[in-house]
Amino acid sequence: MASVDGYDAVIGLEVHVQLGTESKMFTDAPYYFGASPNELTNPVVMGMPGTLPVLNKRAIEKTIQVGLMLGCEIPQVSKWDRKHYYYPDMPKNYQISQYDQPLCLGGSVEIELDGPSRNVMGEHRRVSLTRIHLEEDVGKLTHVADGSLVDYNRAGAPLIEIVTEPDIFSPEEAFAFLTSLRNTLQNAGISDCDMEKGQMRCDANVSVKPVGTTKLGTKVELKNLNSISGVRNGLRYEIDRQIRELKAGATIVQQTRRWDAEAGVTSLMRTKEEAQDYRYFPDPDLMPVRISEDWKSQLAEGLPELPFDRQRRYMADYSLPYTVTSVLCSNRQLSVFFEEAIRQHNNPLAIANLITNDLLRELGAASSGSEVEDGERRSLDSLGVSAVGVADLVAMVDKGVLSNQMAKEVLSGMIATGQSAEAVAEAKGLRQSSDSGEIEAICRQAMEENPKAVQEFLAGNEKSINAIKGRVMKATQGKANPTLVDQVLRKLLASG
Ligand code: ADP
Ligand code: MG
């Protein structure tokens, strides 16, 4: 626990994630990001009298899959409740949600502390979850000078809420939690979790208490945390503010505060007295969901390996360094690409290095300067280089056809033209000479031109061979296979 000025922070997160399903939660209206305002609506979404909700089975399945990945208990029966409130983002004046019988109970998320920033495997622990429930998203309001605009495209989209126990103890742990959760959900195809698109949203509850005490302090809920680093920054500010207040003799009042990322401060939105009573009651239009063991095991079978498990496997099975595996496992597409490439050519380290250094550099150069931690990385596909293409390139290096330097040039050519490694190398005339007859002739000539270096080498000065090698490489314009040159030279020198 990171203590500040004699106080410890306690944090609990409420994370909303849109499930990437084709249609909405209770109707067949399509849902996707980027449609023009109010295009994705129908009478059910608009809450017209006489319409009835119909469950989206895929959304329920995805929620159960999240629960299975996070070790939640999946009760046999789960039901739907109406949460009432009056606000223009919700056309029916109630939101269909889950109150006391959610789809998932308990569970936990594995997090890694301090690792990525120190380039070594950090400490791992699990953050406990309270529950995960499924509900419908609401519309989006945009406040303009002379009023507010409302867009119901998002309304009715399937949304899960993941609630943690007060089991997070620093802003950095909150950052690690959200990073891990996002990787896990992206990896399983549950959601793209793009916070800029509102696909993942987080409210953070935070309190402080004197070091050594166990009773939790009064919590403050932070809203408008629009990125993972926003959550961390907002919490840092709020923890300092609460400690400052307590030190000045004030008490913390339970309240909701808004994070202003630009100003770097939180400000009061409302206090507990203004909290509303949602009058939850079971939705009479929807049957409870029954979840059989068969259904659960079927859903479990469709789940991929978890990112941290995959990382441990890469380190153990392929002896890959930690830093490389943390990049590869931060993104499903990268690990799928990597695994496809090593199936084609079995050199995991060289392939992993090529992906994490060269390919990602190309992607970074091509994408905007937005923070990689929060932003969507441009897709590897957009480079037009396939996993098999990368495997072929590394194979050419391993066969001695290309030097590492040439491989970089060939890769740039592959990206520029979309052609195979073979074709690019051919077109650019990049090929190490591995013709030993030809190399032997050039080596002989280099020795003749360099009698001094030959004598010195024979007298025991090992390094003198480099002068001769230099001539060979110059004569071949760098295209001779250095390993072969070394072999041939040593053979010639030994035979006098
Ligand atoms: P509410 O009744 O206000 O909804 P809950 O008990 O349901 O509060 O908790 C909501 C979130 O706040 C959870 O993530 C929980 O872990 C967190 N939380 C609850 N109490 C505290 C506290 N004293 N300090 C920090 N977080 C807390
Ligand atoms: Mg609550």
Side-chain angles (χ1 to χ4, degrees):
M1 201 175 284
S3 311
V4 189
D5 278 349
Y7 285 90
D8 284 331
V10 177
I11 297 161
L13 300 178
E14 295 168 291
V15 188
H16 281 103
V17 176
Q18 281 181 348
L19 303 177
T21 54
E22 282 175 25
S23 58
K24 292 195 175 180
M25 186 61 232
F26 298 109
T27 172
D28 61 2
Y31 180 65
Y32 53 89
F33 183 83
S36 49
N38 296 306
E39 191 183 335
L40 310 178
T41 59
N42 68 13
V44 178
V45 171
M46 297 314 292
M48 295 297 173
T51 57
L52 284 172
V54 178
L55 286 172
N56 178 338
K57 185 176 178 196
R58 191 68 201 112
I60 295 170
E61 292 185 332
K62 281 187 150 187
T63 308
I64 295 172
Q65 286 189 308
V66 175
L68 291 172
M69 284 192 290
L70 303 182
C72 303
E73 180 201 334
I74 314 293
Q76 288 177 353
V77 182
S78 176
K79 75 168 173 57
W80 307 94
D81 298 281
R82 291 184 177 181
K83 176 181 177 178
H84 297 83
Y85 68 91
Y86 184 78
Y87 198 63
D89 66 2
M90 184 68 255
K92 331 192 263 303
N93 295 329
Y94 65 84
Q95 177 189 23
I96 306 175
S97 181
Q98 301 197 285
Y99 185 54
D100 54 351
Q101 288 183 261
L103 280 162
C104 313
L105 294 168
S108 60
V109 172
E110 181 175 359
I111 63 169
E112 179 178 8
L113 303 167
D114 299 334
S117 56
R118 290 187 298 127
N119 290 338
V120 290
M121 170 85 87
E123 184 200 324
H124 283 235
R125 77 166 180 92
R126 306 197 71 96
V127 168
S128 297
L129 301 179
T130 311
R131 57 184 274 157
I132 304 173
H133 68 253
L134 179 55
E135 60 190 24
E136 55 179 335
D137 206 346
V138 298
K140 190 176 163 57
L141 293 181
T142 306
H143 304 288
V144 293
D146 52 354
S148 294
L149 303 170
V150 61
D151 175 8
Y152 290 119
N153 280 349
R154 228 173 59 172
L159 190 70
I160 54 172
E161 179 172 350
I162 300 162
V163 183
T164 79
E165 290 287 290
D167 188 29
I168 296 170
F169 305 111
S170 69
E172 293 69 34
E173 284 193 6
F175 186 94
F177 175 89
L178 291 169
T179 304
S180 169
L181 181 66
R182 183 179 60 183
N183 287 350
T184 302
L185 300 182
Q186 281 177 344
N187 179 58
I190 300 294
S191 171
D192 291 338
C193 295
D194 186 339
M195 289 183 83
E196 277 174 32
K197 293 181 182 163
Q199 293 166 341
M200 176 160 139
R201 313 194 282 269
C202 177
D203 295 336
N205 301 272
V206 56
S207 62
V208 299
K209 60 183 176 60
V211 171
T213 61
T214 51
K215 188 173 176 291
L216 295 187
T218 303
K219 72 171 194 256
V220 167
E221 182 173 0
L222 296 186
K223 291 200 175 283
N224 198 41
L225 303 164
N226 292 325
S227 64
I228 294 183
S229 41
V231 172
R232 181 187 57 200
N233 299 342
L235 283 167
R236 281 180 180 163
Y237 174 87
E238 180 59 22
I239 290 166
D240 283 349
R241 188 193 69 83
Q242 290 183 21
I243 294 172
R244 218 166 40 233
E245 293 276 315
L246 290 172
K247 292 214 146 178
T251 50
I252 304 294
V253 181
Q254 192 170 327
Q255 59 189 278
T256 302
R257 297 179 72 87
R258 185 189 152 82
W259 168 243
D260 180 340
E262 225 144 86
V265 297
T266 63
S267 56
L268 180 68
M269 282 173 78
R270 57 177 176 265
T271 59
K272 202 194 174 189
E273 286 71 53
E274 298 156 62
Q276 34 197 330
D277 174 5
Y278 293 123
R279 291 167 43 241
Y280 278 101
F281 70 74
D283 192 307
D285 293 337
L286 287 162
M287 295 285 284
V289 187
R290 293 190 174 275
I291 302 141
S292 69
E293 288 304 313
D294 269 3
W295 195 16
K296 262 194 272 185
S297 23
Q298 221 175 300
L299 292 172
E301 270 167 33
L303 287 171
E305 187 180 29
L306 294 174
F308 281 132
D309 291 339
R310 177 180 293 144
Q311 185 173 9
R312 282 183 280 262
R313 181 168 63 84
Y314 283 1
M315 290 173 77
D317 291 3
Y318 306 133
S319 306
L320 295 180
Y322 167 81
T323 40
V324 171
T325 57
S326 52
V327 176
L328 283 181
C329 298
S330 68
N331 178 305
R332 169 147 164 108
Q333 198 196 15
L334 290 181
S335 49
V336 167
F337 193 94
F338 167 72
E339 290 186 21
E340 196 183 332
I342 62 171
R343 266 198 300 278
Q344 180 79 11
H345 177 67
N346 187 19
N347 186 344
L349 182 61
I351 287 173
N353 280 334
L354 193 137
I355 295 172
T356 57
N357 294 325
D358 305 289
L359 279 187
L360 288 186
R361 182 168 343 96
E362 293 283 351
L363 268 188
S367 60
S368 69
S370 77
E371 256 186 341
V372 170
E373 71 185 24
D374 284 349
E376 273 285 270
R377 211 179 245 142
R378 250 188 72 201
S379 134
L380 266 188
D381 300 340
S382 66
L383 288 180
V385 179
S386 68
V388 170
V390 163
D392 289 345
L393 176 61
V394 172
M396 286 174 82
V397 175
D398 290 347
K399 280 190 211 125
V401 176
L402 295 176
S403 68
N404 283 317
Q405 203 46 48
M406 290 171 175
K408 286 189 197 309
E409 222 182 308
V410 171
L411 182 64
S412 307
M414 289 165 74
I415 291 167
T417 65
Q419 288 181 316
S420 70
E422 200 58 67
V424 173
E426 182 74 49
K428 295 197 176 213
L430 290 169
R431 182 169 279 274
Q432 289 190 127
S433 173
S434 292
D435 174 338
S436 43
E438 186 191 344
I439 286 184
E440 191 169 320
I442 298 167
C443 285
R444 277 185 198 284
Q445 189 172 355
M447 283 165 63
E448 268 166 37
E449 288 168 9
N450 240 326
K452 202 164 145 252
V454 172
Q455 269 171 17
E456 283 171 8
F457 178 82
L458 293 174
N461 187 350
E462 176 69 17
K463 281 192 183 141
S464 305
I465 196 171
N466 293 335
I468 313 171
K469 277 187 199 169
R471 272 187 182 258
V472 175
M473 295 316 276
K474 198 166 171 200
T476 59
Q477 291 165 308
K479 286 179 188 165
N481 177 342
T483 318
L484 195 59
V485 170
D486 187 76
Q487 280 168 9
V488 169
L489 269 183
R490 281 177 199 279
K491 191 189 74 187
L492 293 175
L493 287 162
S495 64

Coordinates of all heavy atoms in Angstrom, one line a residue, residues 14 99 131 161 163 219 280, ligand 2:
E14 N -15.9 1.1 -10.8 CA -17.1 0.7 -11.5 C -16.8 0.9 -13.0 O -16.8 2.0 -13.4 CB -18.3 1.5 -11.0 CG -18.6 1.2 -9.5 CD -19.6 2.2 -9.0 OE1 -19.3 3.4 -8.8 OE2 -20.7 1.8 -8.6
Y99 N -30.4 -5.9 -10.6 CA -30.2 -5.4 -9.2 C -29.6 -6.5 -8.3 O -28.4 -6.5 -8.1 CB -31.6 -4.9 -8.7 CG -31.5 -4.2 -7.4 CD1 -30.6 -3.1 -7.2 CD2 -32.3 -4.6 -6.3 CE1 -30.5 -2.5 -6.0 CE2 -32.2 -4.0 -5.1 CZ -31.3 -2.9 -4.9 OH -31.2 -2.3 -3.7
R131 N -19.1 -8.0 -8.5 CA -20.2 -8.6 -9.4 C -20.0 -8.0 -10.8 O -19.3 -7.0 -11.0 CB -21.6 -8.1 -8.9 CG -21.7 -6.6 -8.8 CD -23.0 -6.2 -8.2 NE -24.0 -6.1 -9.3 CZ -25.3 -6.1 -9.0 NH1 -25.8 -6.3 -7.8 NH2 -26.2 -6.0 -10.0
E161 N -21.5 -3.9 -16.4 CA -20.8 -3.1 -15.4 C -20.1 -4.1 -14.5 O -20.6 -5.0 -13.9 CB -21.9 -2.3 -14.6 CG -21.2 -1.5 -13.5 CD -22.0 -0.6 -12.7 OE1 -23.2 -0.3 -13.1 OE2 -21.6 0.0 -11.7
V163 N -17.9 -4.3 -11.2 CA -17.8 -3.6 -9.9 C -16.7 -4.3 -9.1 O -16.8 -5.5 -8.8 CB -19.1 -3.5 -9.1 CG1 -18.9 -2.6 -7.8 CG2 -20.2 -3.0 -9.9
K219 N -16.2 7.7 1.1 CA -15.7 7.7 -0.3 C -16.3 8.8 -1.1 O -17.4 9.4 -0.8 CB -16.1 6.4 -0.9 CG -17.6 6.2 -1.2 CD -17.9 5.0 -2.1 CE -19.2 5.0 -2.6 NZ -20.3 4.4 -2.4
Y280 N -35.9 0.3 -7.8 CA -35.7 -0.9 -8.6 C -36.8 -1.9 -8.4 O -37.3 -2.1 -7.3 CB -34.4 -1.7 -8.1 CG -33.1 -1.2 -8.6 CD1 -32.3 -0.3 -7.8 CD2 -32.6 -1.5 -9.8 CE1 -31.1 0.1 -8.3 CE2 -31.4 -1.1 -10.3 CZ -30.6 -0.3 -9.5 OH -29.4 0.2 -10.0
Ligands
MG2 MG -23.8 0.3 -5.3

